[in-house]
Amino acid sequence: LPNFLEESTERDMALELCRGLVALADELHVYGAPSEGMRQEIDEARRLGIPVVDGKTGERIAAIEEPPR
């Protein structure tokens, strides 16, 4: 989204768009330690019942506090 939105002034809109994209996914893959924006996407996936998985191992992540290794 950086090509379309200016993060310094349109961050909330960007995060809203990202959460909307999460709703279209079959599962959410997480790579590395989640940023605040990633945590919001993870929360949205969980709210919608979309599995959250470690992008490296393919294992489901039980809680946000357990970032991928």
Side-chain angles (χ1 to χ4, degrees):
L1 293 175
N3 292 333
F4 305 104
L5 299 171
E6 180 61 44
E7 185 171 356
S8 63
T9 58
E10 299 177 304
R11 180 165 174 72
D12 291 339
M13 182 187 303
L15 291 172
E16 184 177 333
L17 290 170
C18 289
R19 287 189 300 270
L21 291 173
V22 167
L24 301 174
D26 294 324
E27 62 184 19
L28 179 68
H29 290 230
V30 178
Y31 295 86
S35 66
E36 182 55 38
M38 290 169 61
R39 288 178 187 274
Q40 290 182 32
E41 294 168 355
I42 291 166
D43 288 345
E44 182 68 3
R46 290 217 166 101
R47 186 183 75 76
L48 296 171
I50 296 169
V52 178
V53 299
D54 180 325
K56 187 174 181 181
T57 68
E59 296 176 12
R60 284 195 182 192
I61 300 173
I64 292 175
E65 292 76 28
E66 298 177 22
R69 299 172 273 306

